[in-house]
Amino acid sequence: MILSIIFFLIKSLCCISIAFFAVLILIKIWLKLNTPMCTCKVRLDEKTVVVTGSNMGIGFETAKTLARRGARVVIASRNEVRSRAAVEAIIEATGNPRVEYKPLDLSKLSSVKQFADDFNKHYDRLDVLINNAAFNGFGHVKTEDGIEKVMQVNHVAPAYLTNLLLDKIVGSKPSRIIFVSSGAHNTHAIDPDDLEGRKPVNIWTKYSNSKVCNVLSAKALAKCVPEGVAVNSLHPGVAKTELYDMVPWPLDALFNFVLENVCKTPEECAQTTIHLACSPHLERVTGQYFNDLEVDKTHPSVTDELADRVWENTIALIEDRTRRYKN
């Protein structure tokens, strides 16, 4: 009797495992058949591009492709060792020597200010700014600026960086500003009056809130910049990147297996960003949210009113926390 039960359980487990892996294989095949790649052949030889968080993952693939098209690419990241290795790898892969590293730590608004001051002083143009860097993590962690870390790294600091570089972007038009958001924005519970994160929320909601702010930033900023500056956001897709390293044991093994073997690759996830940065057909398209190279729907709450409110509150928060940097 006991042996029969054991054999039944083993047989059931085998059947479930086979079904599970069959589903994963079908998903992988579907993704391969339905993941569009940017096919535009535009060269970027006279362009300067900044890609934040581009020393690995999706940002690295984005920077590499833009460098291959001839752009001067600035790797704006926190980890110097990893970033310098990324610069060398991109130069070797593309033959383009105009790839550089500039330190940028989005968890410190002082670092954002230092990066922007240095860039504005030493670079004569900025054709494409790609706010790609992202962070997630457990706990309610505040930065030295008194802002919840996920919201600062993913939203507040990129907004600050964009504002500090805006004159250079406008002076280089036609130019583009790109916010790498996420489909996770659809599950947000944003409080536009608590962008600094006074009230703790769970790890998923923190990330979702920061990502809807990316979408809202693009929507609001698109109405403020002059004609010739396109501002858009996007969902890159899901791939195995450092962003998912916080998955706890024992789920991490299964999670990483699925990410590595089923989901999109970082190169595939970079395609919509590359499309927004390069396609001549998108020069006048602004204030939109993209997915798989096409304009996509956002959460119904993403309205002009909410976008304006979040952007205004973000600028007010930045001004409050950066008064000491003003002359």
Side-chain angles (χ1 to χ4, degrees), residues 304-318:
D304 286 335
E305 291 76 17
L306 182 60
D308 292 342
R309 186 176 174 187
V310 166
W311 185 253
E312 290 169 4
N313 288 351
T314 300
I315 298 304
L317 177 60
I318 291 170

Side-chain angles (χ1 to χ4, degrees), residues 11-161:
K11 183 178 179 180
S12 299
L13 182 60
C14 290
C15 291
I16 292 172
S17 299
I18 292 171
F20 174 73
F21 284 107
V23 169
L24 294 185
I25 291 171
L26 290 174
I27 292 173
K28 184 66 174 180
I29 293 172
W30 186 89
L31 284 174
K32 283 295 182 183
L33 294 175
N34 291 277
T35 297
M37 304 293 280
C38 179
T39 58
C40 95
K41 305 299 183 182
V42 170
R43 295 286 302 175
L44 303 174
D45 298 280
E46 304 300 323
K47 307 293 186 181
T48 298
V49 181
V50 169
V51 189
T52 68
S54 49
N55 57 25
M56 63 182 302
I58 297 170
F60 174 82
E61 295 296 338
T62 301
K64 183 170 67 175
T65 298
L66 299 182
R68 185 172 284 121
R69 291 170 182 260
R72 183 183 189 184
V73 178
V74 177
I75 305 290
S77 302
R78 178 176 54 85
N79 189 308
E80 181 176 356
V81 173
R82 190 181 291 166
S83 297
R84 294 197 182 281
V87 168
E88 292 179 6
I90 292 173
I91 292 175
E92 182 178 355
T94 65
N96 181 354
R98 300 195 306 152
V99 183
E100 307 156 30
Y101 161 65
K102 295 292 181 182
L104 174 64
D105 185 347
L106 295 173
S107 69
K108 300 177 180 180
L109 295 182
S110 58
S111 176
V112 177
K113 180 70 162 59
Q114 185 175 4
F115 174 92
D117 287 347
D118 179 75
F119 186 93
N120 286 327
K121 181 179 180 180
H122 294 102
Y123 293 75
D124 61 353
R125 63 185 303 112
L126 178 53
D127 300 274
V128 185
L129 170 60
I130 302 175
N131 289 302
N132 166 82
F135 169 77
N136 204 5
F138 290 100
H140 189 64
V141 179
K142 290 290 188 77
T143 67
E144 64 181 34
D145 302 294
I147 302 170
E148 193 281 316
K149 189 174 181 180
V150 173
M151 182 60 79
Q152 174 160 329
V153 172
N154 294 357
H155 166 59
V156 178
Y160 185 37
L161 177 66

Side-chain angles (χ1 to χ4, degrees), residues 139-186:
H140 189 64
V141 179
K142 290 290 188 77
T143 67
E144 64 181 34
D145 302 294
I147 302 170
E148 193 281 316
K149 189 174 181 180
V150 173
M151 182 60 79
Q152 174 160 329
V153 172
N154 294 357
H155 166 59
V156 178
Y160 185 37
L161 177 66
T162 301
N163 263 0
L164 291 175
L165 297 176
L166 196 55
D167 287 344
K168 192 74 68 175
I169 295 169
V170 171
S172 306
K173 63 181 187 178
S175 49
R176 308 184 188 195
I177 300 169
I178 301 168
F179 291 91
V180 179
S181 180
S182 168
H185 87 273
N186 284 293

